[in-house]
Amino acid sequence: MKRIQIFALFLIGSFTASAQADLFSTPYKWQIKKWSVSLGQDWDMLGSVEHDYLLSTLRGDTEMDYSNLEFSEEYISQMACDNPHLRVTATLPVPGWKNADLNVSAMLVANKIDMVDYHYNENGRDQNLSFNAYTNEAGLEVALLKRKSTRNGAFKLYGGLGTQLGASFGGTVSIDGRNIQTSPEKEVLNFSRYDDPASHSLSSYDSFSEFHHTKTGFYQRAFGQVGVGAVILKRFELGLEYRHGVGYRAIPQAELKGTQYRSIAINLGWILR
């Protein structure tokens, strides 16, 4: 986390220092060159999606007791971290830097999903336990990019570095169990324990469902970005861009989680000058 914060400060500080001389020595004024809208898909992957981490993000207590569950990887049937996003970007020139742009963006990720599904189907018993988290994210992004255009400016390639900072809100977690062994004290037992009648002679096999709200959290990511764009009718630019980087998620009373970040998007820009 500290490395990412240092990177963000370095990025902003480097830009500020390089621009100050030009800003104070010339009558240059910031002007927006282009507005653009991007639609795409993000993958903000946790190292692994464990049920106990998702439970630690809840605001309150669960109805069932999941505290003693331990699952090996063989029981994980599915994990997912899928995030459709919307990005609105203002592109500005960079004083004193030829063929450079500063992109300042507002981002929204709606119904971001983190899920893990456990499945056991042995000895004639089919059991399933799933944890599904949905959250929304809103944040700001800054990227410093260098571009290379064809002579007539119709096509361009660009690349650079950027960072995102934002908050997650309005989250929910649903828990669904099917044919799961539970104790009279509502403890959910491991799949591997269901053939242990001596320890759990009063246990039963139940189906259940819970729904909970999650706490507000924060995230930050640092990334490298590359893209390609084509100018249409002199005023519009259609492009494709890709980001790859690292980040973290911070939620009160939950473990600080590092993430691997990837994003691909299609964007449409309106060139102002």
Side-chain angles (χ1 to χ4, degrees):
M1 180 177 71
K2 290 183 179 179
R3 291 182 179 179
I4 297 174
Q5 291 174 333
I6 292 171
F7 170 81
L9 291 173
F10 175 78
L11 181 66
I12 297 171
S14 297
F15 164 73
T16 302
S18 64
Q20 277 180 343
D22 190 81
L23 286 172
F24 284 109
S25 62
T26 69
Y28 184 91
K29 293 183 179 179
W30 286 98
Q31 295 184 24
I32 296 176
K33 296 171 53 179
K34 180 180 66 176
W35 287 102
S36 57
V37 176
S38 301
L39 295 172
Q41 187 79 7
D42 290 354
W43 294 268
D44 187 41
M45 301 294 293
L46 298 164
S48 60
V49 184
E50 303 97 349
H51 69 281
D52 51 354
Y53 170 73
L54 296 181
L55 290 174
S56 71
T57 68
L58 302 183
R59 290 185 181 178
D61 296 327
T62 57
E63 298 173 15
M64 306 296 289
D65 179 7
Y66 305 93
S67 60
N68 293 320
L69 285 179
E70 294 181 1
F71 292 111
S72 60
E73 291 186 1
E74 64 183 294
Y75 296 132
I76 299 176
S77 62
Q78 184 178 7
M79 291 192 300
C81 296
D82 296 328
N83 321 310
H85 74 258
L86 169 67
R87 179 184 290 107
V88 178
T89 301
T91 299
L92 299 91
V94 180
W97 287 21
K98 187 178 180 180
N99 297 325
D101 292 321
L102 181 71
N103 281 358
V104 181
S105 306
M107 287 188 58
L108 176 66
V109 178
N111 287 326
K112 171 180 176 177
I113 182 171
D114 292 300
M115 67 166 291
V116 59
D117 190 89
Y118 301 101
H119 188 214
Y120 181 88
N121 189 10
E122 295 181 18
N123 302 314
R125 198 171 286 280
D126 187 9
Q127 300 173 284
N128 193 80
L129 183 60
S130 62
F131 299 81
N132 299 280
Y134 291 89
T135 56
N136 304 299
E137 287 185 354
L140 297 176
E141 175 184 291
V142 178
L144 186 60
L145 307 172
K146 289 283 286 183
R147 67 182 185 278
K148 181 68 175 179
S149 303
T150 58
R151 183 168 299 179
N152 62 1
F155 296 94
K156 72 174 183 179
L157 297 172
Y158 56 88
L161 300 174
T163 185
Q164 299 173 358
L165 181 65
S168 59
F169 60 95
T172 62
V173 171
S174 61
I175 308 169
D176 296 284
R178 177 173 55 84
N179 199 23
I180 302 299
Q181 187 182 21
T182 62
S183 72
E185 295 77 27
K186 291 190 174 183
E187 179 190 3
V188 179
L189 306 179
N190 272 10
F191 293 159
S192 57
R193 285 201 219 162
Y194 82 92
D195 271 334
D196 188 5
S199 300
H200 302 284
S201 58
L202 299 179
S203 65
S204 58
Y205 294 94
D206 300 312
S207 295
F208 52 84
S209 181
E210 297 189 44
F211 183 84
H212 300 274
H213 293 281
T214 60
K215 292 170 280 192
T216 298
F218 302 92
Y219 70 88
Q220 187 175 13
R221 304 175 188 116
F223 58 87
Q225 177 180 343
V226 294
V228 59
V231 177
I232 304 171
L233 301 176
K234 296 183 179 181
R235 280 295 186 180
F236 298 96
E237 182 180 309
L238 182 64
L240 178 68
E241 55 191 27
Y242 175 76
R243 293 168 173 79
H244 193 104
V246 295
Y248 66 86
R249 300 187 200 174
I251 300 175
Q253 286 80 55
E255 179 185 357
L256 184 69
K257 282 283 191 176
T259 61
Q260 295 288 329
Y261 173 66
R262 291 183 294 120
S263 175
I264 188 169
I266 296 174
N267 60 69
L268 179 63
W270 177 33
I271 302 171
L272 302 178
R273 64 184 184 90

